[in-house]
Amino acid sequence: MSGEAIAAEVRPVLEVGATLGEGPVWDARDGVLWFVDIKQRRVYRHDPARGATEHWTAPEQVGWVLPAAEGGMIAGLKTGVHRFDPASGAFTLHHDPEPALPGNRLNDATTDAAGRIWFGSMDDGEQGLTGRLYRLDPDGLRESGLPPVAITNGPAISGDGRTLYHTDTAGGVIWRVALDEQGLAGAAEIFTTIPAAEGHPDGSVVDAEDCLWVGLYGGWGVRRYDPSGRLIGTVAFPVANITKIAFGGPDLRTAYATTARQGLDAQALAAQPLAGALFAFEPGVAGRALVPARI
């Protein structure tokens, strides 16, 4: 492992004790952070300016939520993509991409410049190679055609919209694929690999300098890679399982990170009392504003 340590004070923001915190996303419309706890089926909305936090209970495991262009939110649940109305708390199924795979669930997502949703599925048991990557837009659902993996993660898109990053968490590989207006424009190539002893690559996001930030599950930190795949920085955490970061705040210069308690035994939990909390740190670089989803 290489890459300089990034001098950043990692501080807890919310001690929610998430079993599997995931999917942080900054909603610039209201200046709030959304994230989920997949296993507890919770959707959180945190307003840092007011110091207020709300949560809703989803009817199933919920992998992600994204702001919708027409208002409200879009959510990825176990059975598919739903519209989520925070005012009523209602979840309404929009599209089930895998009706023949009841053992799968949706896991991570992002949008491109046109507001199309790129999202992945995974085997809920984390064993079978049944996870696939999709794109959903107003014209319907498209499967990426990439080889299936057990756990898809971290779809992230470069600033110019021409590169997609796709993570095989169990395999320890982050793939890079060229994009065009129609979708994937070439074969996947390896962007970087991470040995299991250093943690498993989880969610990812691209910053304003087109570098990729990756949460390490079991790796006690977050990594920053330049566009060539070279590791250029690391941020150490006081907990082992970091799942994903999002750039937030008025200037998108605060990094919020979700974490997880899942898989930690009593001894590990005693040593990591903040496991499952939402954290924040100053990364020294701005992020990119998320484009609201259009479906």
Side-chain angles (χ1 to χ4, degrees):
M1 185 180 79
S2 59
E4 294 184 3
I6 297 172
E9 178 193 354
V10 176
R11 58 191 185 276
V13 175
L14 295 172
E15 296 183 28
V16 293
T19 302
L20 186 52
E22 256 290 7
V25 61
W26 182 257
D27 187 347
R29 301 173 301 187
D30 301 316
V32 298
L33 183 84
W34 293 87
F35 66 101
V36 303
D37 180 343
I38 297 174
K39 296 301 181 181
Q40 294 188 39
R41 300 184 292 114
R42 284 190 171 181
V43 176
Y44 288 93
R45 179 184 187 270
H46 175 62
D47 184 337
R50 295 193 300 120
T53 304
E54 304 169 82
H55 73 265
W56 296 258
T57 300
E60 308 160 3
Q61 294 181 75
V62 51
W64 48 266
V65 290
L66 296 169
E70 66 271 29
M73 306 293 289
I74 309 296
L77 271 62
K78 188 175 189 299
T79 56
V81 178
H82 288 63
R83 293 188 182 275
F84 166 49
D85 177 13
S88 65
F91 291 81
T92 305
L93 180 64
H94 174 78
H95 188 93
D96 179 1
E98 298 178 335
L101 294 171
N104 271 14
R105 64 172 175 82
L106 303 192
N107 192 49
D108 202 0
T110 192
T111 58
D112 62 20
R116 299 174 294 196
I117 303 175
W118 293 84
F119 68 93
S121 64
M122 62 170 281
D123 172 26
D124 198 27
E126 304 182 3
Q127 299 295 324
L129 301 181
T130 56
R132 290 173 170 81
L133 184 71
Y134 300 93
R135 191 189 85 193
L136 180 64
D137 57 42
D139 295 330
L141 182 78
R142 291 170 174 80
E143 185 177 339
S144 67
L146 294 173
V149 298
I151 306 172
T152 62
N153 237 314
I157 298 173
S158 62
D160 62 8
R162 299 178 62 181
T163 301
L164 173 80
Y165 298 98
H166 163 61
T167 300
D168 171 3
T169 294
V173 180
I174 300 176
W175 299 89
R176 174 173 51 200
V177 193
L179 290 179
D180 61 20
E181 280 302 310
Q182 283 68 50
L184 301 184
E189 60 181 15
I190 292 177
F191 175 71
T192 192
T193 60
I194 299 176
E198 297 175 12
H200 302 283
D202 208 305
S204 62
V205 64
V206 174
D207 66 26
E209 297 178 356
D210 239 20
C211 293
L212 188 74
W213 293 73
V214 181
L216 294 180
Y217 199 98
W220 297 86
V222 173
R223 291 185 175 182
R224 187 184 189 222
Y225 292 86
D226 72 11
S228 74
R230 180 172 64 97
L231 176 60
I232 57 174
T234 62
V235 179
F237 272 65
V239 297
N241 301 329
I242 297 82
T243 53
K244 191 173 184 176
I245 75 164
F247 292 91
D251 54 4
L252 298 179
R253 297 187 71 90
T254 298
Y256 291 95
T258 47
T259 67
R261 296 168 63 87
Q262 178 178 264
L264 301 178
D265 60 21
Q267 183 177 2
L269 287 172
Q272 303 172 45
L274 293 175
L278 175 73
F279 290 86
F281 63 93
E282 312 310 319
V285 65
R288 296 183 182 275
L290 183 83
V291 176
R294 298 180 181 275
I295 60 173

